[in-house]
Amino acid sequence: MSRGRGKVRDSASHSGSKSAMDPPRCSICGTQQQLLRCAKCKAVYYCSPAHQHLHWPDHRTECRLLTRQKLNSSNNNKQQQLQQRQQIQQLQQAVASANLEGSGAGANCSTAQMMTPAHQAQSWPTEVDNLLNFLGQPGIQEKAAAAETEAGQRQQQHHHHGEKSSSYQIGFADASFMGSGSERRYEDLCRNIISDMNQYGLSVVDDFLGMETGLKILNEVRSMYNAGAFQDGQVVTNQTPDAPAVRGDKIRGDKIKWVGGNEPGCSNVWYLTNQIDSVVYRVNTMKDNGILGNYHIRERTRAMVACYPGSGTHYVMHVDNPQKDGRVITAIYYLNINWDARESGGILRIRPTPGTTVADIEPKFDRLIFFWSDIRNPHEVQPAHRTRYAITVWYFDAKEREEALIRAKLENSKTNNLAAQAQAQQAEPDSTTTPPAAIASSSSSLPASMSTGTGALNANVSSNTCATNSEICT
C-alpha cells in the first residue's frame, strides 16, 4: 500500500454508493485517519495492512478490473500521441520532398532556374500586346485612380499598427526578421532579391519561414476557408454598354479573403506579413539597391488570402497595377504541400516585358516570390486541378500612391458634378440638355473587341465598383 489522498471507489463490502467528492475512508472501518491506498488500483483506502488483508477476498476482482481499465486508458492515450506524431512526420516528409525536388538537398531554388526563353515556352500572346497598347492610351491612367478616393478618405480615424484605411505602414518591425541570430541570412537574402529584381524583374525565395511556421499558417488559412469566410474574387471590366457580359469565373476562379492580421485566428498570417514587411523595407533602404532605390515604400495593402479550389480554376493574363494606382511590388507566399505542376497545374506564368523570357513558377509550400506590380509583369495563373492556397500583399510607392489618390479625388468630383448636372437638366429639359446616355458614352471605355478575350485582361483595373470595399481589385 501507498499513503496518499484521492477519490474513493466504493468497495462492494462497505457503505454502498458514494459520491466521487466524498473524503477517502477505510473500506473496513470507515475511518479517515492515517489512510493507506491500494498500490495496484490506487482507488481503495485502508487504515492498516491488517484491514487490507481482511478486505482482499472481496476487493480482488474489483482491483484487477480497475487496474486493467487504467492500463487500457493509458495505452489509448499513448496510441493517440503516436498517431499524432506519425501525422506530423508525414507532413514533414511531404514538405521536405516538395522543397527538395529538383533543387538539391538543402538548396534554395534560383530565380534564374525559373526563367525560360519565351519562344521555348509559348509564343508571345497577341492579347498581351493589346493589353499594353490599351494601357498606353491617353486618359486611361487618370481614370484608374477613381476607385481609390473613397479608400483614401474613409476611416482616417481608424489605426492599427500604422493602419490607415485598408493599408498598413511598414518599417516598424525591421529588426524582428526571423528573430535574433539571423542577420547574415537576412543580409544575403535581401542582396539576392535586389539582384534578381534588377536583372529579371522578379525574385523567388524558397524555404522562407521554415516548415513549422509554414504549417501553422496553412492551418489558419484552411480553417478560414472551411469556415466559409472566402468570397469570389472581384472582376471589374471597362466595357461599352452594348458589349456582351463576361462571366467572372471565365476571368478568375479564385476565392479570397482580405486579412489585416489582428482578426481572431490570424496570428500566424500576421507574423508572415510582418516578415515580408521586414524584407521589403530592407531591400528598399539598402545601399546600391538599383531600381528599388527609385521608390519610397512605407505602406502596403492588407493580405489577400486566396484559394483556387481545383477543377481547372484559373486567372487569365493580367497586370496588377496597369494604371499607376501606387502598387510597385507584388509579394506572394504559397502554402501547397508536395505540389507537382505536371499533375496539379496551377503554375504562375510571368511574362516580363519586352517578352524575351518567361518565368514559370510552381506554387510550392513555403515559397515566396516578388515581382514588379505594373505593366512590366503581365502574368496568369494557369488552371489548377487541386486546391491551391496563396497569400498576396502589395506594396505602395509613396509618390505614385499620393498622385493616384489626388487623381481619384478630382475624377470623383468631376463625376459627381456631371451627375448633378444631368439630374438638373432632366428636371428642367431645354434645347441645351445633353442626354444622360450621351454623357455616359462620352467616357473612355475598353474597346468592345476586347470585352471577352483581351478585355478580360483588364479585369483587375480598379473602378468605382471596387471603392465600396476599400480594397484593390486584382
Side-chain angles (χ1 to χ4, degrees):
M1 291 192 299
S2 59
R3 290 190 178 273
R5 291 190 175 273
K7 296 178 182 178
V8 178
R9 288 190 177 270
D10 195 21
S11 170
S13 63
H14 184 74
S15 71
S17 62
K18 291 184 180 180
S19 168
M21 298 303 294
D22 286 346
R25 297 176 183 273
C26 175
S27 294
I28 296 297
C29 66
T31 183
Q32 300 180 29
Q33 304 298 321
Q34 297 182 338
L35 294 178
L36 303 170
R37 185 169 58 180
C38 177
K40 287 187 176 182
C41 69
K42 295 182 172 55
V44 179
Y45 291 81
Y46 304 98
C47 63
S48 66
H51 278 188
Q52 182 186 27
H53 292 309
L54 180 63
H55 188 238
W56 179 243
D58 295 328
H59 177 57
R60 179 189 294 110
T61 302
E62 180 187 35
C63 183
R64 291 173 179 173
L65 177 62
L66 292 174
T67 303
R68 190 178 300 114
Q69 289 176 346
K70 289 187 176 182
L71 180 61
N72 291 338
S73 176
S74 176
N75 289 338
N76 288 337
N77 290 336
K78 290 180 179 178
Q79 187 175 4
Q80 290 178 356
Q81 293 175 358
L82 178 61
Q83 290 176 348
Q84 291 176 351
R85 285 196 296 268
Q86 289 175 343
Q87 290 175 351
I88 294 175
Q89 289 175 355
Q90 290 173 355
L91 281 175
Q92 291 173 341
Q93 291 171 358
V95 172
S97 63
N99 287 339
L100 297 179
E101 180 182 349
S103 63
N108 286 343
C109 291
S110 168
T111 304
Q113 294 174 341
M114 309 290 173
M115 311 302 294
T116 304
H119 69 275
Q120 293 182 12
Q122 182 180 330
S123 60
W124 181 256
T126 55
E127 61 264 28
V128 177
D129 285 330
N130 292 336
L131 173 61
L132 299 178
N133 290 335
F134 170 73
L135 296 177
Q137 293 178 13
I140 293 296
Q141 294 177 359
E142 283 68 19
K143 286 188 172 293
E148 307 298 334
T149 299
E150 195 167 345
Q153 293 176 340
R154 289 173 11 178
Q155 300 179 357
Q156 293 294 326
Q157 74 281 8
H158 179 59
H159 292 267
H160 177 79
H161 189 65
E163 179 182 358
K164 178 180 180 181
S165 184
S166 57
S167 62
Y168 289 77
Q169 299 293 321
I170 71 169
F172 299 104
D174 178 52
S176 69
F177 177 77
M178 298 301 291
S180 60
S182 59
E183 180 62 27
R184 179 62 183 271
R185 185 204 169 197
Y186 191 10
E187 181 77 14
D188 292 343
L189 174 65
C190 292
R191 281 297 171 195
N192 289 336
I193 293 172
I194 290 172
S195 176
D196 288 344
M197 293 294 285
N198 282 290
Q199 184 174 358
Y200 306 110
L202 59 102
S203 181
V204 180
V205 179
D206 281 335
D207 307 321
F208 179 59
L209 295 178
M211 177 181 53
E212 182 178 353
T213 302
L215 289 174
K216 291 178 181 178
I217 298 169
L218 175 59
N219 184 55
E220 286 186 350
V221 170
R222 281 176 172 170
S223 296
M224 286 188 283
Y225 186 75
N226 293 335
F230 285 47
Q231 299 179 347
D232 291 340
Q234 293 180 345
V235 174
V236 182
T237 57
N238 293 332
Q239 298 179 0
T240 55
D242 57 346
V246 181
R247 286 177 51 188
D249 58 358
K250 296 295 184 182
I251 298 173
R252 63 183 297 182
D254 58 335
K255 311 288 185 180
I256 67 170
K257 175 177 175 57
W258 292 95
V259 174
N262 56 321
E263 302 91 340
C266 295
S267 60
N268 290 291
V269 175
W270 178 244
Y271 176 79
L272 165 68
T273 55
N274 277 339
Q275 299 307 300
I276 302 176
D277 289 351
S278 297
V279 172
V280 172
Y281 179 80
R282 176 65 73 93
V283 299
N284 181 230
T285 55
M286 291 178 73
K287 295 181 179 180
D288 302 322
N289 59 356
I291 301 173
L292 283 157
N294 297 335
Y295 305 104
H296 184 73
I297 303 173
R298 296 295 182 273
E299 191 177 6
R300 63 164 170 84
T301 65
R302 292 195 287 176
M304 186 187 78
V305 184
C307 172
Y308 289 81
S311 303
T313 47
H314 64 285
Y315 198 157
V316 301
M317 186 74 68
H318 64 284
V319 174
D320 287 350
N321 174 22
Q323 303 182 24
K324 296 186 178 299
D325 62 21
R327 289 176 290 171
V328 64
I329 290 178
T330 300
I332 308 177
Y333 181 76
Y334 292 116
L335 291 161
N336 308 296
I337 295 175
N338 206 22
W339 189 274
D340 185 351
R342 293 169 296 184
E343 298 179 358
S344 304
I347 282 178
L348 174 70
R349 171 164 286 186
I350 303 178
R351 295 181 174 273
T353 55
T356 57
T357 58
V358 168
D360 283 341
I361 301 172
E362 293 189 58
K364 292 185 175 182
F365 181 84
D366 202 27
R367 170 173 284 176
L368 174 66
I369 68 170
F370 299 96
F371 58 89
W372 303 122
S373 303
D374 56 22
I375 60 174
R376 286 172 285 187
N377 282 315
H379 56 282
E380 64 179 323
V381 176
Q382 297 183 346
H385 305 297
R386 57 173 274 204
T387 303
R388 177 188 187 275
Y389 292 109
I391 300 176
T392 304
V393 181
W394 287 272
Y395 290 86
F396 293 110
D397 171 57
K399 181 179 179 182
E400 183 179 307
R401 179 66 169 169
E402 182 180 5
E403 292 173 349
L405 293 176
I406 292 173
R407 289 197 307 270
K409 186 175 181 180
L410 293 175
E411 184 67 25
N412 274 1
S413 178
K414 292 178 182 179
T415 301
N416 293 336
N417 289 339
L418 285 174
Q421 292 174 9
Q423 186 176 6
Q425 290 171 351
Q426 285 180 338
E428 298 181 6
D430 56 31
S431 60
T432 63
T433 298
T434 301
I439 296 175
S441 64
S442 65
S443 61
S444 175
S445 62
L446 186 65
S449 62
M450 299 177 65
S451 60
T452 58
T454 55
L457 301 176
N458 203 37
N460 66 314
V461 177
S462 298
S463 77
N464 286 333
T465 58
C466 296
T468 57
N469 295 324
S470 298
E471 294 294 357
I472 293 172
C473 294
T474 60

